[in-house]
Amino acid sequence: MKYFSIYGLFFLLLTAAGCSVGKRLPPGERLYRGAIIKVEKQKDVKASAKSLRSQLKATARPKTNKFLLGQPYKVWWYYFIGEPKRPKGFRAFLRNKLGEPPVLSSRVNAKVTAENMNAYLENIGYFHSKVKGDTVNKGYFTTAVYNATVFPQHTIRNITWVNDSSALLKQLDTKKKRRSLLKKGMPYRLSDIVAERDRLDLRLKTKGYYNFNPDYIMAYVDSTIGNYQVDLFFNIKNTTPEIAKHPYTINRITVFPNYTLLRPPPDTSKVGTTDVDGLSIRDTVHDFKQDLFKRTITYRPGKIYSSIDQNTTLNRLINLGAFKFSKNRFEAVKDTANPYRLNVFYYLTPAKKKSLQGEIDGFSKENKYVGSQLSINWKNRNTFHGSEQLAVKMYGSFEVSSNDSLKKNNNYRVGTEATLNFPRYLIPFFRVHESNLYPARTQLLLGYEYFIKKNYYSKNIFRFNYEFQWRESANKQHILAPFSFTYVNAANVTDSFYKAASLNPALLTNVYSEAIVSSYYSYTYNTLNPLGKNQWFLKLDGEVAGTTIGLISGAKEPRSKNVLGAPFAQYVKGDLDLRYTRRFRSRWQLANRLQLGIGFPYNNSAYLPFSKQYIVGGSSSIRAFAVRTLGPGSYKPTLQDQAYYQTIGGDYKLLGNTEIRIPIVGRFSSAFFIDAGNVWTKDTVLFGKAGQLKKDFLKELAVASGIGLRVDASVILLRFDFGIPLRKPYLPDGQRWVIDKIALGDKTWRRENLVFNIAIGYPF
């Protein structure tokens, strides 16, 4: 009875709100309630009445207000707030964000909308169908009623080009009909014919027909052949200009690499140009090597004009990073004897060559550390006059912890890193020609870091990387590093650390020096449309280390062979990161992620290097467990482990996440999530048998759930998540599920189990 009273009161409030809306409407006006569409199908109509109603409703205008239990609650709020005094004040915000102006009956024209619906049915092949519209008034509402009589949809019987044997029509009427968007037997749709004309236009643009456009293609439809079929006839319009009927060739290519947007316009004359490999380059200040344009511009004079060459070259120039603006212009040669030629001009505005930037960051890590970092970044965008980008970064940081067990266990870092990017493949003794849409890049990285773990030890870390980056397409990227080298040298180990290691010898692994000589490959794929219904992301990584050195040295046992005075790592490693997000019309999202990592240390290594180990826990992993508090396996890291180990991880990883993202209002949205996963080790050296991978490893999965709030602040997305553990793998077998022990009202339980995460961006 209590619930009935609450719901009844709620309904009465809504009804009262609706009545007040009727009193506030302008004189002679009613509120538009929406459209009712009635469909009468004739014989042989295959589409369902529901589908036809849905399609016709999408064409109905105007769109109606939002209703709840039959009442226009947003319109009521719009009137309740009233006219704001200031257009950008708080009152205006409440009115515009939570309310909406009424859709009045004067905006409804049922006759015109019915004509639009009828045209829509004609355009998708339902010829001879009829739609009639009218309005019905009830109270202060107006409803539009449409009655549609639908005849069967016509299909395509034949597609014919009316050929006059011209070269242009021979290009159009090819035997490659499998590429056509129009097929025999498919339903007639005007949109398909328009799309086919656009496709043919794009194809002709790759064959030299610079002045052609899709409007020059005429399509005729014969719908009188009976049996609900049509014949399509295509031809070139008689009014098509002569210049559109001939292919063009490239006559001259001129490049202005120092073009500016100053007024008056800069000198773009051809005086002072240098001819190089068929290109005319006018570089008055000699800022760029001529080889840069030879590699980047993918076509030469004498070649048939192609939109593919045009787009490829312009895209490659834009992606060099050396130019702030890049544009091209085509100009027909004024020669009556041979008019079908084009001069091409590239106008390139250089970006600022050098920049210096300083950053101060504050951060809070998931392992209970807070700190700050100061970095200075210097960049040269044209180091050797070939668009080579040199970036030098110097940084220093500190980390402190408020955790009692980690107090005075501060971390300090100071380091430098230099990265040199070449817009080409840089391979000794080889010259690789490439003309794909994006310029390939070769990156050389050299870095050094000095790390201090206060009261315990310090480390000198040297890095060198040689890798290639290239894009197969806009959504497919490859990275290949034939050589990567990392050298870690531990020093200044304190007596207190050795004292702790005497009780737990595995801690000594933190101060072992090590060399990593590896090669790796990475492939990334993602869907192009970030707002599409289905979004996919796939990342595959593979890495091998120490293979060649191991064969030469004959390493068989862990840490038995050295390189540069330190044992070298030997392992094979593969990673998979698969994500799928489904968007719904209600703006809800279902986001999923699966991560699988397999590391196989062998011969000279008993476990993966700490920098290569897999970890779980934290704001982007299993959100009810902090980093360094979960795994491997059924092992529970102690406070001593958290203090002494640089990383608490494993050689294998399994992680799955599912998240439902629900919009609330404006920039605010919520989320419900479930996370599951863990890591395991191959050997028992670090964490014993509890951390080792077993046949029943699924019994050692951690499971968590929770809710979150997201705030879209335009530049960044702030994320707040509360995670609750549902399964703790470090508890005895049979007692790991802890759902029945959830006690949100218990202060002690909340302190020990409820984990609050603050982060930037989505977790995946």
Side-chain angles (χ1 to χ4, degrees):
M1 194 68 179
K2 179 181 179 182
Y3 294 112
F4 175 78
S5 300
I6 293 174
Y7 291 132
L9 178 62
F10 180 64
F11 180 75
L12 288 174
L13 288 174
L14 276 177
T15 304
C19 292
S20 66
V21 168
K23 295 176 181 178
R24 294 171 183 260
L25 294 174
E29 291 282 10
R30 288 182 169 85
L31 189 69
Y32 178 52
R33 186 65 181 84
I36 296 174
I37 299 174
K38 301 176 182 179
V39 174
E40 181 185 349
K41 297 194 323 178
Q42 298 299 302
K43 185 181 178 182
D44 297 330
V45 175
K46 296 180 180 179
S48 67
K50 181 180 179 181
S51 172
L52 292 168
R53 277 196 301 270
S54 177
Q55 294 181 66
L56 291 174
K57 194 164 188 176
T59 67
R61 295 292 182 273
K63 295 297 182 183
T64 184
N65 293 116
K66 290 184 173 60
F67 285 76
L68 178 63
L69 298 179
Q71 301 302 324
Y73 67 100
K74 285 201 168 188
V75 177
W76 173 81
W77 181 262
Y78 180 85
Y79 281 128
F80 177 77
I81 293 296
E83 191 69 31
K85 294 180 180 180
R86 292 180 299 163
K88 293 186 178 181
F90 181 66
R91 190 174 182 180
F93 170 81
L94 290 176
R95 194 186 206 208
N96 296 330
K97 292 295 182 181
L98 302 179
E100 59 186 17
V103 179
L104 302 174
S105 56
S106 59
R107 293 180 55 190
V108 181
N109 191 326
K111 182 178 179 181
V112 171
T113 300
E115 291 174 354
N116 292 337
M117 289 181 176
N118 199 69
Y120 171 78
L121 291 172
E122 291 278 336
N123 290 339
I124 59 174
Y126 291 98
F127 297 122
H128 314 302
S129 298
K130 296 294 180 183
V131 181
K132 295 181 179 180
D134 202 352
T135 56
V136 176
N137 300 325
K138 184 177 181 181
Y140 67 91
F141 290 122
T142 288
T143 302
V145 180
Y146 300 98
N147 293 282
T149 303
V150 182
F151 284 83
Q153 188 177 30
H154 285 55
T155 58
I156 298 173
R157 187 181 72 169
N158 289 312
I159 304 168
T160 305
W161 277 91
V162 182
N163 200 327
D164 60 3
S165 74
S166 67
L168 176 57
L169 273 173
K170 286 180 180 178
Q171 287 287 346
L172 291 169
D173 187 19
T174 63
K175 295 181 180 179
K176 300 177 181 178
K177 294 182 180 179
R178 56 186 174 84
R179 296 182 181 178
S180 175
L181 301 177
L182 301 172
K183 308 289 184 183
K184 292 181 180 181
M186 70 182 294
Y188 168 87
R189 286 185 290 260
L190 178 62
S191 59
D192 292 339
I193 295 176
V194 173
E196 176 66 6
R197 292 200 315 170
D198 292 338
R199 185 191 71 84
L200 291 170
D201 175 62
L202 288 174
R203 182 164 172 265
L204 287 174
K205 289 292 196 297
T206 68
K207 302 293 183 180
Y209 291 87
Y210 174 74
N211 283 306
F212 195 84
N213 75 63
D215 289 336
Y216 296 150
I217 300 176
M218 175 65 75
Y220 305 89
V221 181
D222 183 359
S223 60
T224 65
I225 60 177
N227 200 27
Y228 303 114
Q229 291 182 312
V230 298
D231 285 342
L232 298 182
F233 299 91
F234 289 89
N235 200 354
I236 302 299
K237 290 181 180 179
N238 295 329
T239 56
T240 301
E242 195 65 25
I243 58 173
K245 297 179 181 180
H246 296 273
Y248 282 73
T249 58
I250 303 300
N251 180 60
R252 182 181 177 89
I253 303 173
T254 307
V255 184
F256 299 98
N258 304 115
Y259 182 80
T260 68
L261 302 178
L262 300 176
R263 292 287 185 265
D267 179 15
T268 56
S269 66
K270 300 175 185 177
V271 178
T273 59
T274 303
D275 291 334
V276 181
D277 192 30
L279 307 175
S280 297
I281 303 172
R282 190 173 189 271
D283 187 358
T284 56
V285 294
H286 307 290
D287 264 352
F288 298 94
K289 291 180 179 178
Q290 296 168 347
D291 274 356
L292 175 65
F293 305 108
K294 289 167 59 177
R295 291 192 310 270
T296 308
I297 297 175
T298 60
Y299 60 100
R300 294 294 183 267
K303 188 176 181 181
I304 290 288
Y305 164 82
S306 170
S307 59
I308 293 177
D309 291 336
Q310 169 195 344
N311 295 334
T312 297
T313 295
L314 194 59
N315 199 69
R316 287 170 61 81
L317 288 167
I318 292 171
N319 281 277
L320 285 174
F323 300 105
K324 183 164 53 175
F325 302 108
S326 303
K327 68 175 183 177
N328 61 353
R329 180 173 65 88
F330 290 84
E331 180 184 90
V333 174
K334 298 177 180 179
D335 183 355
T336 56
N338 187 9
Y340 306 118
R341 292 179 295 156
L342 293 170
N343 288 328
V344 191
F345 303 90
Y346 285 97
Y347 303 97
L348 311 175
T349 303
K352 188 176 181 180
K353 184 177 180 180
K354 298 177 182 178
S355 63
L356 182 65
Q357 182 181 16
E359 293 181 2
I360 299 179
D361 300 318
F363 55 83
S364 174
K365 290 190 173 182
E366 295 151 341
N367 55 5
K368 306 301 182 182
Y369 279 98
V370 296
S372 181
Q373 175 171 299
L374 169 66
S375 63
I376 299 175
N377 304 277
W378 178 84
K379 191 171 188 177
N380 187 330
R381 293 179 176 82
N382 193 28
T383 307
F384 304 123
H385 303 284
S387 191
E388 302 89 356
Q389 297 187 16
L390 174 63
V392 179
K393 176 181 180 180
M394 301 180 66
Y395 61 91
S397 70
F398 69 89
E399 303 170 5
V400 298
S401 178
S402 58
N403 193 316
D404 291 338
S405 63
L406 300 178
K407 280 185 177 179
K408 298 182 180 180
N409 185 215
N410 304 336
N411 298 329
Y412 302 92
R413 301 172 191 270
V414 61
T416 183
E417 185 176 276
T419 305
L420 182 59
N421 270 286
F422 296 85
R424 61 186 184 277
Y425 290 114
L426 187 65
I427 305 175
F429 312 114
F430 290 94
R431 189 178 184 88
V432 181
H433 174 74
E434 44 91 18
S435 59
N436 59 307
L437 196 60
Y438 301 90
R441 291 196 172 276
T442 301
Q443 177 178 278
L444 301 177
L445 180 147
L446 182 64
Y448 167 74
E449 178 177 291
Y450 183 59
F451 171 79
I452 300 174
K453 196 165 187 65
K454 188 179 178 182
N455 297 327
Y456 297 135
Y457 55 82
S458 64
K459 288 187 177 184
N460 295 281
I461 305 169
F462 302 88
R463 292 190 299 271
F464 175 76
N465 221 39
Y466 170 46
E467 73 176 31
F468 306 115
Q469 303 174 9
W470 72 96
R471 286 187 177 273
E472 180 183 339
S473 61
N475 61 335
K476 297 177 183 178
Q477 183 181 31
H478 303 262
I479 298 175
L480 172 65
F483 182 75
S484 177
F485 177 72
T486 303
Y487 184 83
V488 181
N489 174 255
N492 304 318
V493 184
T494 63
D495 291 338
S496 60
F497 182 85
Y498 279 127
K499 184 177 180 180
S502 65
L503 301 175
N504 183 7
L507 294 178
L508 290 173
T509 57
N510 288 275
V511 295
Y512 287 157
S513 295
E514 188 172 40
I516 305 173
V517 183
S518 68
S519 301
Y520 62 82
Y521 168 77
S522 176
Y523 170 79
T524 304
Y525 166 85
N526 60 75
T527 47
L528 285 174
N529 184 7
L531 300 177
K533 180 189 293 185
N534 298 298
Q535 296 180 28
W536 289 93
F537 173 88
L538 172 66
K539 191 170 188 292
L540 298 172
D541 298 303
E543 184 177 10
V544 293
T547 303
T548 304
I549 301 175
L551 290 173
I552 295 173
S553 65
K556 296 295 182 183
E557 300 294 332
R559 304 184 65 80
S560 61
K561 301 293 181 179
N562 295 350
V563 60
L564 298 178
F568 60 88
Q570 271 191 292
Y571 60 86
V572 177
K573 191 168 181 277
D575 301 292
L576 177 145
D577 187 345
L578 178 63
R579 307 176 193 180
Y580 170 69
T581 301
R582 174 67 184 268
R583 292 176 178 269
F584 300 93
R585 289 184 180 179
S586 58
R587 293 174 53 216
W588 286 39
Q589 295 181 34
L590 176 62
N592 305 274
R593 176 178 66 179
L594 172 66
Q595 285 188 340
L596 180 65
I598 299 175
F600 185 77
Y602 67 100
N603 288 353
N604 216 49
S605 295
Y607 49 87
L608 291 178
F610 285 111
S611 61
K612 303 292 182 178
Q613 287 185 3
Y614 301 106
I615 59 174
V616 287
S619 64
S620 296
S621 182
I622 305 178
R623 281 164 275 186
F625 299 88
V627 172
R628 302 166 66 87
T629 65
L630 177 62
S634 59
Y635 183 83
K636 183 177 182 180
T638 64
L639 294 177
Q640 186 187 56
D641 294 332
Q642 297 178 39
Y644 288 93
Y645 275 106
Q646 183 179 347
T647 299
I648 298 178
D651 305 314
Y652 311 100
K653 177 181 179 179
L654 177 61
L655 175 66
N657 308 87
T658 292
E659 184 171 282
I660 300 175
R661 298 166 183 168
I662 306 171
I664 302 176
V665 61
R667 299 181 182 274
F668 295 89
S669 60
S670 62
F672 297 89
F673 59 84
I674 296 178
D675 306 322
N678 206 337
V679 294
W680 297 266
T681 59
K682 175 178 176 287
D683 214 320
T684 61
V685 175
L686 299 179
F687 303 106
K689 289 186 177 180
Q692 194 175 23
L693 183 69
K694 311 170 188 67
K695 292 181 180 180
D696 57 349
F697 67 94
L698 292 177
K699 292 183 177 181
E700 297 177 341
L701 289 177
V703 182
S705 185
I707 60 174
L709 175 69
R710 284 89 170 91
V711 182
D712 185 356
S714 296
V715 179
I716 59 174
L717 183 136
L718 299 175
R719 176 163 54 89
F720 308 92
D721 288 329
F722 286 94
I724 297 175
L726 304 181
R727 196 170 195 276
K728 299 179 178 180
Y730 46 75
L731 294 179
D733 192 12
Q735 302 177 27
R736 291 170 180 171
W737 285 104
V738 292
I739 300 176
D740 58 337
K741 295 181 174 58
I742 294 176
L744 293 173
D746 189 325
K747 183 178 180 181
T748 302
W749 182 93
R750 291 198 305 271
R751 184 175 62 251
E752 295 177 353
N753 293 275
L754 188 61
V755 177
F756 178 51
N757 300 279
I758 303 177
I760 295 175
Y762 288 112
F764 53 90

